[in-house]
């Protein structure tokens, strides 16, 4: 792979040049300490010193609500207005892995044109990161990324090592060839290797996924699920922040004047009660514990069977988000028979009723 | 960065095809029959499906829902559905008159393993609205009668007025190449000439069949499964030759929306037809 060097001070000018005719999406600060992926008008808005955004980047490819069709009785007119040409800068390895999982999913048997078109129109420019207390991407082996990006920016002390992952990425570099140095010094390489080792040491959270498919099967009827189900608020936050959640609902919004409808596709959440209802009001997953089991079966068992890796990329969003500490870490530790100080102890003491 | 905006893909699996309601009438108080033809004649004739597959039907302003196809692929051109009034989409469908346009896409799902069923006995057990998917396979067997051994139909309804396709089944009842038993739980008319009792009371009336050479197809209300399955096991029909077709909420039919997920599988891609072995093996199927 071709690797070049860019001075950090040249990053913003570079982003400005490449986004001249394209939407630029990047992490920006929201509230005081949060970050979101947003479309930026001015590159100075970009803040690369972030750990995780509130919502994963899939919102750019399949927005929380978008119009699939403008329909009349005679014709369903497709709408791909969300799939504009974009550059997504600043995406971390775990989120790129999340998109690679979504790529597999949305191309499985049938291709979902709403996803693939948005995906094909977006260039991914990754950025290196540093784990906080919730990150466990080392456990899911998604802390490094070798494919899927067009460019990847590894931050050193004053420079970036820029990995060129695709021909389109190379085209971007050629727009400002003078900014990039072809020659890397031994010092740069040493610095990069040391940084990587230090980063590997910096992970504070570990989740053992190896036994999870077996444990999900062996403990499917274990009372711990009832306890977790009782604590769960069924708010759906975990699914909204998960980079590999794909569920959606389709709503038909009648437009009386046009004698037609707008067919919208909205994010949906398997932890909501209405999710598994069928005609006549029968519900296959009435209990919150049943719905949580579905989610965890999917993430830490079914994905492993189907695609060979978990449907979790260790981004830590569910850990940072769930108000009652139900997340991939606590649930898998509970399944593993380990005492989990967070909600699990409180549950055992009966503090959460 | 002179990347051309990509053209939309050739086929959008979510795009419904306009279709016209050719005939519609009530089968029972809350079940209506719909005969539908895809407006584009070429597409109407090339719509190939297997018995047991389903289609997504959309009504503008109401939404979209999955429905079993009740017609047989051996009679191409028209699609038939047998629909119970149960929600927003079906309410809207029931209000539509003949010649009205609806949207249709599919077919989806695995369908019944017709190839494997060839040269075997076919035992079809339907209760209530369970006739909707099983009528397709029954008519298909009758239209290709020489490909199958013995064909048996057991059909149960609550009352005579609630028997779906009653006239049609009475018409084929006397065929010599079909064993057909009809039953109602209660006869409130006093004119019912067939069996009275739940569908399992029909089992003793059946001629003896070689269970190893038999495929049993079951569809009906949840309460029916337990008792019918017991009878089938008593007959010693292998569990992987007992086939059932299941119902789930679906928003896409193509394995994307997630609503029909069960364990590892999606009902829309891996189902809706499952064997009894699958059902025992997987949680939450019925």
């Amino acid at each position: 792979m071709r690797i070049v060097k860019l001075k950090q001070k040249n990053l913003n000018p570079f982003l400005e040049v490449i986004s001249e005719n394209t939407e630029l999406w990047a992490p920006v600060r929201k509230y005081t300490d949060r970050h979101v992926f947003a479309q930026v008008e001015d590159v100075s808005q970009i803040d690369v010193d972030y750990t995780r955004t509130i919502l994963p980047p899939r919102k750019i490819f399949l927005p929380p609500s978008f119009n699939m069709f403008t329909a009349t009785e005679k014709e369903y007119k497709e709408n791909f207005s969300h799939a504009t040409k974009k550059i997504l800068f600043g995406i971390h390895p775990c989120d790129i892995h999340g998109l690679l999982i979504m790529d597999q999913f949305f191309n499985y048997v049938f291709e979902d044109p709403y996803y693939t078109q948005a995906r094909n129109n977006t260039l991914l420019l990754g950025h290196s990161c540093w784990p906080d207390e919730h990150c466990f991407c080392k456990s899911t082996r998604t802390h490094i990324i070798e494919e899927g990006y067009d460019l990847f920016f590894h931050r050193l002390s004053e420079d970036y090592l820029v990995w060129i992952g695709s021909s389109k990425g190379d085209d971007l570099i050629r727009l400002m060839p003078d900014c990039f140095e072809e020659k890397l010094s031994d010092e740069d390489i040493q610095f990069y290797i040391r940084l990587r080792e230090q980063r590997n040491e910096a992970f504070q959270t570990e989740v053992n996924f190896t036994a999870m498919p077996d444990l999900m099967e062996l403990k499917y009827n274990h009372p711990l699920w009832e306890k977790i189900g009782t604590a769960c608020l069924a708010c759906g936050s975990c699914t909204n922040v998960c980079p590999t959640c794909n569920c959606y609902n389709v709503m038909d919004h009648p437009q009386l004047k046009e004698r037609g409808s707008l067919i919208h596709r909205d994010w949906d959440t398997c932890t909501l009660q209405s999710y598994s209802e069928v005609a006549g009001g029968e519900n296959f997953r009435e209990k919150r514990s049943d719905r949580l089991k579905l989610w965890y079966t999917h993430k830490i068992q079914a994905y492993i069977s189907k695609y060979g890796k978990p449907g979790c990329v260790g981004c830590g969003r569910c850990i940072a988000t769930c108000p009652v500490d139900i997340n991939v870490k606590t649930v898998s530790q509970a399944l593993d028979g380990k005492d989990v100080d967070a909600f699990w102890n409180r549950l055992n003491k009966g503090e959460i009723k | 960065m002179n990347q051309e905006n990509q053209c939309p893909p050739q086929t959008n699996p979510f795009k419904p095809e306009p279709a016209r309601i050719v005939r519609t009438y009530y089968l029972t108080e809350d079940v209506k029959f719909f005969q539908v033809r895809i407006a584009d004649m070429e597409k109407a004739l090339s719509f190939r499906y297997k018995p047991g597959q389903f289609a997504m039907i959309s009504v503008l302003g109401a939404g979209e829902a999955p429905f079993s196809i009740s017609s047989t692929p051996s009679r191409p051109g028209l699609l038939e559905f047998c629909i119970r009034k149960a929600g927003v989409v079906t309410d809207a469908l029931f209000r539509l008159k003949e010649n009205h346009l609806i949207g249709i896409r599919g077919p989806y799902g695995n369908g019944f393993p017709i190839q494997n069923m060839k040269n075997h006995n076919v035992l079809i057990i339907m209760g209530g609205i369970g006739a909707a998917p099983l009528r397709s396979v029954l008519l298909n067997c009758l239209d290709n009668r020489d490909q199958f051994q013995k064909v048996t139909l057991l059909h149960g309804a609550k009352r005579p007025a609630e028997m779906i396709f009653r006239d049609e089944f009475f018409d084929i009842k006397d065929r010599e190449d079909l064993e057909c038993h009809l039953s109602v739980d209660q006869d409130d008319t006093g004119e019912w000439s067939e069996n009275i009792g739940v569908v399992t009371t029909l089992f003793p009336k059946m001629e003896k069949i070689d269970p190893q050479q038999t495929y049993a197809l079951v569809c009906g209300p949840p309460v029916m499964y337990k008792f019918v399955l017991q009878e089938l096991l008593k007959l010693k029909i292998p569990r992987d030759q007992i086939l059932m077709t299941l119902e789930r909420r679906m928003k896409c039919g193509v394995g994307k929306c997630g609503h029909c997920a069960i364990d590892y599988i999606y009902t829309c891609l891996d189902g809706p037809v499952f064997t009894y072995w699958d059902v025992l093996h997987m949680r939450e199927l019925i």
Side-chain angles (χ1 to χ4, degrees):
Chain A
M1 193 174 285
R2 196 167 151 232
I3 301 161
V4 291
K5 202 162 89 172
L6 174 75
K7 285 256 168 287
Q8 280 181 22
K9 65 174 169 48
N10 284 334
L11 175 68
N12 278 356
F14 173 67
L15 291 175
E16 242 164 42
V17 166
I18 61 170
S19 63
E20 210 164 288
N21 302 310
T22 315
E23 285 176 29
L24 177 65
W25 287 66
V28 299
R29 193 175 284 270
K30 187 163 185 176
Y31 313 124
T32 50
D33 55 346
R34 303 293 197 89
H35 287 84
V36 293
F37 286 116
Q39 188 181 348
V40 291
E41 300 300 333
D42 183 345
V43 290
S44 65
Q45 291 172 269
I46 300 172
D47 182 6
V48 291
D49 288 311
Y50 80 104
T51 311
R52 66 179 66 77
T53 54
I54 299 174
L55 290 179
R58 67 183 165 96
K59 72 165 189 182
I60 297 162
F61 305 96
L62 293 171
S65 181
F66 69 92
N67 180 19
M68 291 174 89
F69 298 104
T70 304
T72 59
E73 214 178 40
K74 289 206 174 64
E75 196 197 4
Y76 279 72
K77 222 176 137 203
E78 292 160 310
N79 174 38
F80 284 95
S81 59
H82 71 291
T84 46
K85 257 168 54 174
K86 293 184 189 76
I87 290 175
L88 171 55
F89 169 75
I91 178 172
H92 289 168
C94 59
D95 279 340
I96 299 178
H97 278 283
L99 288 174
L100 294 178
I101 290 174
M102 297 295 254
D103 290 351
Q104 272 186 307
F105 178 84
F106 282 114
N107 284 294
Y108 185 71
V109 189
F110 290 88
E111 184 197 299
D112 184 336
Y114 294 95
Y115 176 79
T116 50
Q117 219 187 123
R119 188 73 171 81
N120 290 340
N121 279 344
T122 305
L123 297 181
L124 296 185
L125 275 50
H127 192 283
S128 55
C129 55
W130 201 260
D132 73 354
E133 71 274 24
H134 298 321
C135 293
F136 59 99
C137 50
K138 209 178 137 202
S139 305
T140 49
R141 297 178 187 279
T142 51
H143 59 311
I144 42 173
I145 182 81
E146 285 156 354
E147 51 166 351
Y149 54 81
D150 297 288
L151 293 175
F152 196 95
F153 293 77
H154 273 287
R155 185 158 53 173
L156 306 181
S157 63
E158 282 164 20
D159 304 288
Y160 278 109
L161 286 191
V162 184
W163 260 245
I164 304 173
S166 75
S167 157
K168 285 176 188 161
D170 199 67
D171 291 346
L172 296 182
I173 300 285
R174 283 165 201 274
L175 291 175
M176 270 182 103
D178 299 343
C179 283
F180 294 89
E181 282 174 60
E182 296 283 338
K183 207 171 166 336
L184 309 181
S185 67
D186 276 352
E187 268 169 34
D188 294 330
I189 295 171
Q190 280 305 317
F191 189 89
Y192 167 73
I193 296 292
R194 263 203 322 278
L195 200 68
R196 209 172 125 163
E197 280 166 4
Q198 284 168 5
R199 179 169 170 264
N200 279 347
E201 301 291 317
F203 283 94
Q204 302 159 45
T205 299
E206 210 182 315
V207 175
N208 179 10
F209 282 92
T210 321
M212 281 310 137
D214 282 347
L215 280 170
M216 277 305 296
E217 201 64 40
L218 291 163
K219 293 199 169 172
Y220 196 80
N221 294 315
H222 197 279
L224 78 88
W225 285 112
E226 286 307 312
K227 290 191 195 174
I228 299 173
T230 315
C232 174
L233 306 173
C235 65
S237 299
C238 50
T239 65
N240 280 330
V241 302
C242 182
T244 67
C245 268
N246 57 275
C247 290
Y248 66 84
N249 201 358
V250 179
M251 294 300 282
D252 183 310
H253 299 284
Q255 307 293 305
L256 295 179
K257 214 173 138 200
E258 289 81 12
R259 300 181 67 84
S261 280
L262 296 177
I263 314 289
H264 276 227
R265 175 163 161 178
D266 308 329
W267 286 7
D268 203 354
T269 292
C270 62
T271 51
L272 300 182
Q273 196 174 12
S274 60
Y275 180 83
S276 297
E277 255 176 19
V278 298
E282 186 94 24
N283 196 329
F284 290 92
R285 282 180 277 267
E286 193 90 49
K287 288 197 309 200
R288 270 173 287 175
S289 59
D290 291 339
R291 304 197 291 273
L292 279 174
K293 277 195 233 180
L294 174 74
W295 199 69
Y296 284 99
T297 303
H298 237 225
K299 298 289 170 195
I300 62 182
Q301 182 183 25
Y303 259 97
I304 297 177
S305 319
K306 209 165 187 171
Y307 301 115
K309 52 188 178 189
C312 171
V313 292
C315 69
R317 284 191 181 90
C318 57
I319 304 177
T321 306
C322 178
V324 290
D325 282 346
I326 300 172
N327 52 57
V328 171
K329 182 177 91 170
T330 52
V331 169
S332 52
Q333 286 177 343
L335 282 169
D336 212 2
K338 290 199 185 95
D339 204 6
V340 186
D341 39 351
F343 90 112
W344 194 237
N345 273 352
R346 282 185 285 143
L347 279 183
N348 283 338
K349 284 185 210 143
E351 283 172 21
I352 299 174
K353 285 257 166 27
Chain B
M1 275 315 295
N2 291 318
Q3 197 188 354
E4 291 285 316
N5 242 340
Q6 295 206 344
C7 300
Q10 287 299 303
T11 52
N12 181 341
F14 305 108
K15 189 174 179 173
E17 204 43 56
R20 206 168 283 287
I21 299 176
V22 179
R23 287 180 78 197
T24 175
Y25 51 83
Y26 280 92
L27 287 168
T28 72
E29 205 174 284
D30 63 344
V31 177
K32 230 175 161 181
F33 178 75
F34 290 88
Q35 202 175 43
V36 173
R37 190 203 303 274
I38 294 175
D40 181 326
M41 204 44 167
E42 212 161 284
K43 284 177 182 160
L45 288 168
S46 61
F47 190 97
R48 285 177 208 286
Y49 61 98
K50 279 164 63 179
Q53 285 195 297
F54 64 92
M56 299 293 289
I57 294 184
S58 46
V59 182
L60 205 66
E64 195 177 37
F67 297 97
S68 307
I69 303 173
S70 297
S71 51
T72 165
S74 49
R75 303 173 198 176
L78 288 166
L79 292 169
E80 291 168 352
F81 299 90
C82 164
I83 294 171
R84 183 167 53 118
K85 200 171 177 169
V88 181
V89 177
T90 51
D91 278 356
L93 259 178
F94 269 49
R95 283 196 295 271
L96 298 183
K97 304 260 181 334
E98 281 161 12
N99 221 25
H100 213 102
L101 281 173
I102 56 171
I104 201 161
R105 59 190 179 91
Y108 300 126
N110 56 357
F112 288 104
I114 296 290
Q115 286 303 322
N116 298 346
M117 285 159 58
K118 281 185 181 163
N119 299 315
H120 284 73
N121 302 316
V122 178
L123 168 58
I124 297 171
I125 303 147
M126 47 174 87
I129 192 77
L134 291 182
R135 176 179 178 260
S136 174
V137 72
L138 173 72
L139 296 182
N140 187 66
C141 286
L142 295 178
D143 285 354
N144 301 285
R145 190 61 192 85
D146 54 339
Q147 293 176 2
F148 302 91
Q149 298 295 315
K150 217 172 146 29
V151 178
T152 313
L153 168 66
L154 309 183
H155 183 13
K158 277 186 193 148
R159 292 177 291 117
E162 287 183 36
M163 181 165 278
I164 288 156
F165 299 119
R166 185 183 54 217
D167 297 343
E168 190 174 314
F169 291 146
F170 267 94
D171 280 348
I172 57 171
K173 206 176 97 53
D174 297 326
R175 279 176 72 139
E176 278 179 7
D177 56 0
L178 168 75
E179 188 185 344
C180 175
H181 298 283
L182 306 175
S183 186
V184 292
D185 296 355
Q186 281 174 341
D187 175 26
D188 50 2
T189 60
E191 290 166 6
W192 182 252
S193 55
E194 303 295 313
N195 186 67
I196 296 177
V198 293
V199 74
T200 45
T201 58
L202 295 173
F203 277 85
K205 296 177 189 288
M206 258 172 55
E207 282 173 38
K208 212 172 153 21
I209 41 170
D210 176 2
Q212 292 296 330
Q213 290 302 313
T214 302
Y215 275 90
L217 284 51
V218 194
C219 190
V223 285
M224 194 189 91
Y225 283 102
K226 194 180 158 195
F227 298 103
V228 167
L229 288 168
Q230 280 172 4
E231 293 295 328
L232 293 173
L233 292 179
K234 260 193 253 169
L235 288 176
K236 299 212 167 2
I237 295 174
R239 282 180 293 190
D240 58 354
Q241 284 171 216
I242 300 175
L243 305 167
M244 17 228 272
T245 158
L246 304 182
E247 181 199 6
R248 280 291 182 282
R249 188 180 188 198
M250 292 172 194
K251 289 290 176 179
C252 73
V254 293
K256 309 295 177 217
C257 80
H259 283 86
C260 68
I262 308 166
D263 269 20
Y264 297 57
I265 56 134
Y266 285 102
T267 314
C268 64
L269 295 180
D270 308 287
V273 175
F274 294 96
T275 68
Y276 184 41
W277 170 252
D278 293 331
V279 171
L280 290 173
H281 206 68
M282 281 183 295
R283 301 167 291 239
E284 298 183 318
L285 269 187
I286 50 171

